[in-house]
Amino acid sequence: MSIQVKFFASLKETLNIDDHDIKSAATVGEVWDITTNNTERPNNVLVAINLEYAQFESTVKDGDEVAFFPPVTGG
Amino acid sequence: MAAYILEQSFNPWESISEHQKSTTLDNQFGATATFIGTMRDFNDNVAVSAMILEHYPAMTQYYLEKLIDEATCKWNLLDILIIHRVGNIKPSDPIMLIACWSAHRRASLDACSWLIEELKHRAPFWKKETRANGEYWVEKNTNGL
């Protein structure tokens, strides 16, 4: 199993974390715990699986790309 | 229908004109509604001298195209053009262009307004401002009023 994990913007800086792959996880919440060493999750963190918004309870599967980021501020 | 993410500055008026000439709108459109978002030199009553716009390239492109698809389902539109800057931006630089073409005014006006709000709340862009005392991530959108 391989899940590609990405972080963006202030969240990436605050956690001082690089993008990487993990070998095993059942849910987005588990992906967060594994990649951040169980860092407490800020309330406003958003997540996407394969470019679509998802929930922390969402399941993940082999080959997924999971991204964590703060509220968006474009436009 | 087109969505572009640009790392370099652009002239929105030229972009509208060029897009209009390059498509097959012919003489069908009776209305063109446009919105151009420009960088201010202040935010929250604090001076801002520059900004970096970060994005999630694949998801951002996907969402801009998704918004175009949704808008064309909701309104009877002839064409849509979205352009959004990323990278280093200075005050007065255009950040975003949304242009909608339709036969009658209501569709293009409503679609343009809807696209602005949906883009700001769904497309993954993040602003980092340069102020006199350092760099700060913008934490939320203004309410638009």
Side-chain angles (χ1 to χ4, degrees), chain B residues 76-102:
Chain B
N76 189 10
L77 298 165
L78 295 168
D79 207 346
I80 300 174
L81 171 64
I82 300 177
I83 299 176
H84 203 295
R85 278 291 316 278
V86 294
N88 297 308
I89 298 173
K90 297 288 186 189
S92 83
D93 282 352
I95 298 174
M96 171 174 73
L97 162 67
I98 295 177
C100 300
W101 288 265
S102 58

mmCIF file of all heavy atoms in Angstrom, chain B residues 76-102:
data_model
loop_
_atom_site.group_PDB
_atom_site.id
_atom_site.type_symbol
_atom_site.label_atom_id
_atom_site.label_comp_id
_atom_site.label_asym_id
_atom_site.label_seq_id
_atom_site.Cartn_x
_atom_site.Cartn_y
_atom_site.Cartn_z
ATOM 1 N N ASN B 76 -27.679 29.413 -18.504
ATOM 2 C CA ASN B 76 -27.550 29.265 -19.949
ATOM 3 C C ASN B 76 -26.451 30.211 -20.439
ATOM 4 O O ASN B 76 -26.718 31.360 -20.801
ATOM 5 C CB ASN B 76 -28.893 29.585 -20.613
ATOM 6 C CG ASN B 76 -28.888 29.230 -22.082
ATOM 7 O OD1 ASN B 76 -27.966 28.583 -22.574
ATOM 8 N ND2 ASN B 76 -29.914 29.664 -22.794
ATOM 9 N N LEU B 77 -25.236 29.711 -20.420
ATOM 10 C CA LEU B 77 -24.067 30.539 -20.737
ATOM 11 C C LEU B 77 -23.450 30.120 -22.064
ATOM 12 O O LEU B 77 -23.453 28.943 -22.415
ATOM 13 C CB LEU B 77 -23.019 30.400 -19.628
ATOM 14 C CG LEU B 77 -23.471 30.865 -18.245
ATOM 15 C CD1 LEU B 77 -22.528 30.355 -17.177
ATOM 16 C CD2 LEU B 77 -23.563 32.386 -18.194
ATOM 17 N N LEU B 78 -22.884 31.091 -22.740
ATOM 18 C CA LEU B 78 -22.208 30.796 -23.998
ATOM 19 C C LEU B 78 -20.730 30.518 -23.790
ATOM 20 O O LEU B 78 -20.125 29.733 -24.524
ATOM 21 C CB LEU B 78 -22.374 31.979 -24.966
ATOM 22 C CG LEU B 78 -23.808 32.258 -25.408
ATOM 23 C CD1 LEU B 78 -23.883 33.600 -26.113
ATOM 24 C CD2 LEU B 78 -24.301 31.139 -26.319
ATOM 25 N N ASP B 79 -20.149 31.163 -22.774
ATOM 26 C CA ASP B 79 -18.720 30.938 -22.532
ATOM 27 C C ASP B 79 -18.345 31.458 -21.147
ATOM 28 O O ASP B 79 -19.037 32.329 -20.587
ATOM 29 C CB ASP B 79 -17.878 31.661 -23.597
ATOM 30 C CG ASP B 79 -16.531 30.987 -23.820
ATOM 31 O OD1 ASP B 79 -16.132 30.144 -22.985
ATOM 32 O OD2 ASP B 79 -15.880 31.302 -24.827
ATOM 33 N N ILE B 80 -17.256 30.914 -20.610
ATOM 34 C CA ILE B 80 -16.696 31.379 -19.337
ATOM 35 C C ILE B 80 -15.174 31.389 -19.475
ATOM 36 O O ILE B 80 -14.581 30.467 -20.037
ATOM 37 C CB ILE B 80 -17.061 30.443 -18.160
ATOM 38 C CG1 ILE B 80 -18.578 30.358 -17.972
ATOM 39 C CG2 ILE B 80 -16.391 30.905 -16.868
ATOM 40 C CD1 ILE B 80 -19.003 29.338 -16.922
ATOM 41 N N LEU B 81 -14.562 32.421 -18.936
ATOM 42 C CA LEU B 81 -13.102 32.482 -18.843
ATOM 43 C C LEU B 81 -12.728 32.792 -17.395
ATOM 44 O O LEU B 81 -13.242 33.756 -16.813
ATOM 45 C CB LEU B 81 -12.556 33.578 -19.765
ATOM 46 C CG LEU B 81 -11.059 33.905 -19.622
ATOM 47 C CD1 LEU B 81 -10.197 32.710 -20.008
ATOM 48 C CD2 LEU B 81 -10.695 35.126 -20.456
ATOM 49 N N ILE B 82 -11.871 31.963 -16.819
ATOM 50 C CA ILE B 82 -11.338 32.237 -15.478
ATOM 51 C C ILE B 82 -9.814 32.273 -15.579
ATOM 52 O O ILE B 82 -9.202 31.357 -16.142
ATOM 53 C CB ILE B 82 -11.750 31.169 -14.449
ATOM 54 C CG1 ILE B 82 -13.271 31.092 -14.309
ATOM 55 C CG2 ILE B 82 -11.092 31.460 -13.092
ATOM 56 C CD1 ILE B 82 -13.749 30.002 -13.353
ATOM 57 N N ILE B 83 -9.230 33.316 -15.039
ATOM 58 C CA ILE B 83 -7.763 33.406 -14.930
ATOM 59 C C ILE B 83 -7.443 33.765 -13.490
ATOM 60 O O ILE B 83 -8.062 34.670 -12.906
ATOM 61 C CB ILE B 83 -7.180 34.471 -15.881
ATOM 62 C CG1 ILE B 83 -7.498 34.112 -17.341
ATOM 63 C CG2 ILE B 83 -5.677 34.599 -15.689
ATOM 64 C CD1 ILE B 83 -7.036 35.171 -18.355
ATOM 65 N N HIS B 84 -6.492 33.069 -12.896
ATOM 66 C CA HIS B 84 -6.103 33.358 -11.508
ATOM 67 C C HIS B 84 -4.585 33.346 -11.409
ATOM 68 O O HIS B 84 -3.934 32.438 -11.915
ATOM 69 C CB HIS B 84 -6.690 32.308 -10.566
ATOM 70 C CG HIS B 84 -6.826 32.782 -9.147
ATOM 71 N ND1 HIS B 84 -5.738 33.101 -8.361
ATOM 72 C CD2 HIS B 84 -7.917 32.992 -8.372
ATOM 73 C CE1 HIS B 84 -6.170 33.481 -7.167
ATOM 74 N NE2 HIS B 84 -7.486 33.426 -7.148
ATOM 75 N N ARG B 85 -4.032 34.362 -10.785
ATOM 76 C CA ARG B 85 -2.591 34.454 -10.577
ATOM 77 C C ARG B 85 -2.135 33.565 -9.431
ATOM 78 O O ARG B 85 -2.856 33.336 -8.460
ATOM 79 C CB ARG B 85 -2.202 35.897 -10.227
ATOM 80 C CG ARG B 85 -2.037 36.844 -11.405
ATOM 81 C CD ARG B 85 -0.828 36.511 -12.268
ATOM 82 N NE ARG B 85 0.364 36.192 -11.496
ATOM 83 C CZ ARG B 85 1.206 37.077 -10.971
ATOM 84 N NH1 ARG B 85 0.985 38.367 -11.147
ATOM 85 N NH2 ARG B 85 2.271 36.679 -10.283
ATOM 86 N N VAL B 86 -0.888 33.125 -9.498
ATOM 87 C CA VAL B 86 -0.168 32.543 -8.370
ATOM 88 C C VAL B 86 1.227 33.157 -8.354
ATOM 89 O O VAL B 86 1.615 33.864 -9.284
ATOM 90 C CB VAL B 86 -0.066 30.999 -8.465
ATOM 91 C CG1 VAL B 86 -1.440 30.356 -8.339
ATOM 92 C CG2 VAL B 86 0.617 30.573 -9.766
ATOM 93 N N GLY B 87 1.962 32.910 -7.289
ATOM 94 C CA GLY B 87 3.331 33.426 -7.213
ATOM 95 C C GLY B 87 3.389 34.792 -6.562
ATOM 96 O O GLY B 87 2.564 35.145 -5.721
ATOM 97 N N ASN B 88 4.387 35.573 -6.964
ATOM 98 C CA ASN B 88 4.645 36.877 -6.351
ATOM 99 C C ASN B 88 3.772 37.961 -6.977
ATOM 100 O O ASN B 88 3.776 38.149 -8.195
ATOM 101 C CB ASN B 88 6.121 37.248 -6.519
ATOM 102 C CG ASN B 88 7.027 36.265 -5.800
ATOM 103 O OD1 ASN B 88 6.846 35.995 -4.620
ATOM 104 N ND2 ASN B 88 7.984 35.698 -6.519
ATOM 105 N N ILE B 89 3.065 38.698 -6.128
ATOM 106 C CA ILE B 89 2.110 39.698 -6.593
ATOM 107 C C ILE B 89 2.352 41.012 -5.866
ATOM 108 O O ILE B 89 2.680 41.032 -4.676
ATOM 109 C CB ILE B 89 0.668 39.190 -6.356
ATOM 110 C CG1 ILE B 89 0.448 37.914 -7.181
ATOM 111 C CG2 ILE B 89 -0.363 40.242 -6.736
ATOM 112 C CD1 ILE B 89 -0.844 37.230 -6.918
ATOM 113 N N LYS B 90 2.173 42.098 -6.597
ATOM 114 C CA LYS B 90 2.351 43.440 -6.036
ATOM 115 C C LYS B 90 1.013 44.176 -6.010
ATOM 116 O O LYS B 90 0.120 43.859 -6.804
ATOM 117 C CB LYS B 90 3.339 44.244 -6.892
ATOM 118 C CG LYS B 90 4.745 43.657 -6.939
ATOM 119 C CD LYS B 90 5.457 43.842 -5.630
ATOM 120 C CE LYS B 90 6.904 43.399 -5.719
ATOM 121 N NZ LYS B 90 7.557 43.384 -4.392
ATOM 122 N N PRO B 91 0.883 45.187 -5.125
ATOM 123 C CA PRO B 91 -0.345 45.975 -5.114
ATOM 124 C C PRO B 91 -0.671 46.525 -6.504
ATOM 125 O O PRO B 91 0.229 46.948 -7.231
ATOM 126 C CB PRO B 91 -0.030 47.108 -4.127
ATOM 127 C CG PRO B 91 0.956 46.501 -3.190
ATOM 128 C CD PRO B 91 1.812 45.609 -4.056
ATOM 129 N N SER B 92 -1.942 46.510 -6.830
ATOM 130 C CA SER B 92 -2.538 46.912 -8.104
ATOM 131 C C SER B 92 -2.437 45.829 -9.181
ATOM 132 O O SER B 92 -3.010 45.979 -10.259
ATOM 133 C CB SER B 92 -1.995 48.243 -8.634
ATOM 134 O OG SER B 92 -0.781 48.054 -9.327
ATOM 135 N N ASP B 93 -1.725 44.738 -8.925
ATOM 136 C CA ASP B 93 -1.711 43.632 -9.896
ATOM 137 C C ASP B 93 -3.073 42.943 -9.914
ATOM 138 O O ASP B 93 -3.642 42.661 -8.843
ATOM 139 C CB ASP B 93 -0.671 42.569 -9.517
ATOM 140 C CG ASP B 93 0.754 42.961 -9.855
ATOM 141 O OD1 ASP B 93 0.940 43.991 -10.517
ATOM 142 O OD2 ASP B 93 1.666 42.216 -9.436
ATOM 143 N N PRO B 94 -3.588 42.617 -11.077
ATOM 144 C CA PRO B 94 -4.792 41.786 -11.139
ATOM 145 C C PRO B 94 -4.506 40.389 -10.569
ATOM 146 O O PRO B 94 -3.462 39.797 -10.868
ATOM 147 C CB PRO B 94 -5.097 41.696 -12.631
ATOM 148 C CG PRO B 94 -4.389 42.869 -13.229
ATOM 149 C CD PRO B 94 -3.147 43.038 -12.406
ATOM 150 N N ILE B 95 -5.404 39.902 -9.740
ATOM 151 C CA ILE B 95 -5.261 38.556 -9.154
ATOM 152 C C ILE B 95 -6.155 37.565 -9.884
ATOM 153 O O ILE B 95 -5.773 36.428 -10.142
ATOM 154 C CB ILE B 95 -5.638 38.571 -7.661
ATOM 155 C CG1 ILE B 95 -4.703 39.483 -6.872
ATOM 156 C CG2 ILE B 95 -5.602 37.153 -7.083
ATOM 157 C CD1 ILE B 95 -5.109 39.657 -5.414
ATOM 158 N N MET B 96 -7.375 38.005 -10.168
ATOM 159 C CA MET B 96 -8.352 37.066 -10.710
ATOM 160 C C MET B 96 -9.237 37.756 -11.738
ATOM 161 O O MET B 96 -9.607 38.910 -11.565
ATOM 162 C CB MET B 96 -9.230 36.536 -9.576
ATOM 163 C CG MET B 96 -10.421 35.708 -10.021
ATOM 164 S SD MET B 96 -11.325 34.973 -8.651
ATOM 165 C CE MET B 96 -12.147 36.402 -7.961
ATOM 166 N N LEU B 97 -9.534 37.026 -12.794
ATOM 167 C CA LEU B 97 -10.512 37.476 -13.778
ATOM 168 C C LEU B 97 -11.561 36.388 -13.948
ATOM 169 O O LEU B 97 -11.223 35.209 -14.105
ATOM 170 C CB LEU B 97 -9.837 37.719 -15.136
ATOM 171 C CG LEU B 97 -10.770 37.780 -16.352
ATOM 172 C CD1 LEU B 97 -11.666 39.006 -16.287
ATOM 173 C CD2 LEU B 97 -9.979 37.762 -17.654
ATOM 174 N N ILE B 98 -12.809 36.795 -13.880
ATOM 175 C CA ILE B 98 -13.914 35.906 -14.257
ATOM 176 C C ILE B 98 -14.732 36.655 -15.302
ATOM 177 O O ILE B 98 -15.134 37.800 -15.078
ATOM 178 C CB ILE B 98 -14.799 35.538 -13.056
ATOM 179 C CG1 ILE B 98 -13.993 34.706 -12.050
ATOM 180 C CG2 ILE B 98 -16.036 34.758 -13.523
ATOM 181 C CD1 ILE B 98 -14.754 34.365 -10.792
ATOM 182 N N ALA B 99 -14.963 36.018 -16.433
ATOM 183 C CA ALA B 99 -15.799 36.608 -17.473
ATOM 184 C C ALA B 99 -16.822 35.574 -17.939
ATOM 185 O O ALA B 99 -16.463 34.409 -18.165
ATOM 186 C CB ALA B 99 -14.947 37.073 -18.650
ATOM 187 N N CYS B 100 -18.061 36.000 -18.023
ATOM 188 C CA CYS B 100 -19.149 35.121 -18.463
ATOM 189 C C CYS B 100 -19.887 35.774 -19.624
ATOM 190 O O CYS B 100 -20.206 36.965 -19.561
ATOM 191 C CB CYS B 100 -20.138 34.871 -17.318
ATOM 192 S SG CYS B 100 -19.425 34.086 -15.877
ATOM 193 N N TRP B 101 -20.153 34.990 -20.641
ATOM 194 C CA TRP B 101 -20.895 35.476 -21.805
ATOM 195 C C TRP B 101 -22.231 34.739 -21.902
ATOM 196 O O TRP B 101 -22.287 33.516 -21.701
ATOM 197 C CB TRP B 101 -20.104 35.218 -23.086
ATOM 198 C CG TRP B 101 -18.903 36.089 -23.288
ATOM 199 C CD1 TRP B 101 -18.836 37.245 -24.011
ATOM 200 C CD2 TRP B 101 -17.562 35.864 -22.796
ATOM 201 N NE1 TRP B 101 -17.554 37.755 -24.003
ATOM 202 C CE2 TRP B 101 -16.754 36.930 -23.269
ATOM 203 C CE3 TRP B 101 -16.969 34.875 -22.018
ATOM 204 C CZ2 TRP B 101 -15.394 37.041 -22.982
ATOM 205 C CZ3 TRP B 101 -15.621 34.972 -21.720
ATOM 206 C CH2 TRP B 101 -14.845 36.043 -22.192
ATOM 207 N N SER B 102 -23.284 35.491 -22.190
ATOM 208 C CA SER B 102 -24.598 34.868 -22.371
ATOM 209 C C SER B 102 -25.417 35.695 -23.360
ATOM 210 O O SER B 102 -25.049 36.838 -23.698
ATOM 211 C CB SER B 102 -25.341 34.751 -21.036
ATOM 212 O OG SER B 102 -25.492 36.024 -20.442
#
